[in-house]
Amino acid sequence: MHPVRSLARLLLPVACPCGELDVRWCARCAALLAGSPVRVERDAPRLDRLDGVPPVPVWALAPYAGPVRDVVVHWKDRGRADLDRLLAPALRGAAAQLGPVLSPALGGAPVAVVPVPSTAAARRARSRDPVSVLARTVAGGLHDAGVRARVVPALARRSSGRDQVGLGARARGRNLAGAVRMTRHGSRTLGQRSACILVDDVLTTGATLAAVERALEQDGHDVLGATVLAATPSPAAASDPVGRPLSAVGEILVKT
């Protein structure tokens, strides 16, 4: 190894979030994010609208547990923006696989890729908006699949809401009640009625996605589904963490 590089690694050690030294991310962690996206909304109790409409379909790359959780936490909250280069290609490939699933519902129309908004405090603490990176990645993957997609940061969090980290299921729901709003720019950009795909980093209880879905639908837009990096598995799913198959196209058509 070059002496300068050796000295740099002594002063600033490189390690995968899982703890493996001398690599930014290890082959094992990369492999956990390399599979096809799976349906995970059944494990998010707060996605249920309780009005007879099925929960919005959600696709995830992996369960939010073990090394995947370490990767996401380091990427989002511990300054590891270099992990964009691990997560973005994985999510772009997953979004490309979703293209044929979404196309029947779109009928050739474009889709708006809407990032779930963070609080202003979270953006300041992180010095960036990681979910916007994911939204651009998803739009790129859909474009790869022949779907016309554009990123539309249409939503904002009201100042009264706090970050969701550390809150339980009921507290998340209360915290987000009325906490998401359409921006004037978002309303103008989306127009009268747009088909939307939501993007977030992690699906936990589903309270955040449900609040975003309501905000868009109240403005007249259709939410076809959501994509996330990872989803918290329910206790019942612990022995079968792979979720539902990608090819459940019919249920997305019911949503529209």
Side-chain angles (χ1 to χ4, degrees), residues 157-162 179:
R157 291 282 294 272
R158 299 185 190 277
S159 57
S160 58
R162 57 165 288 192

Side-chain angles (χ1 to χ4, degrees), residues 222-236:
D222 298 318
V223 178
L224 303 186
T227 59
V228 297
L229 287 173
T232 301
S234 70

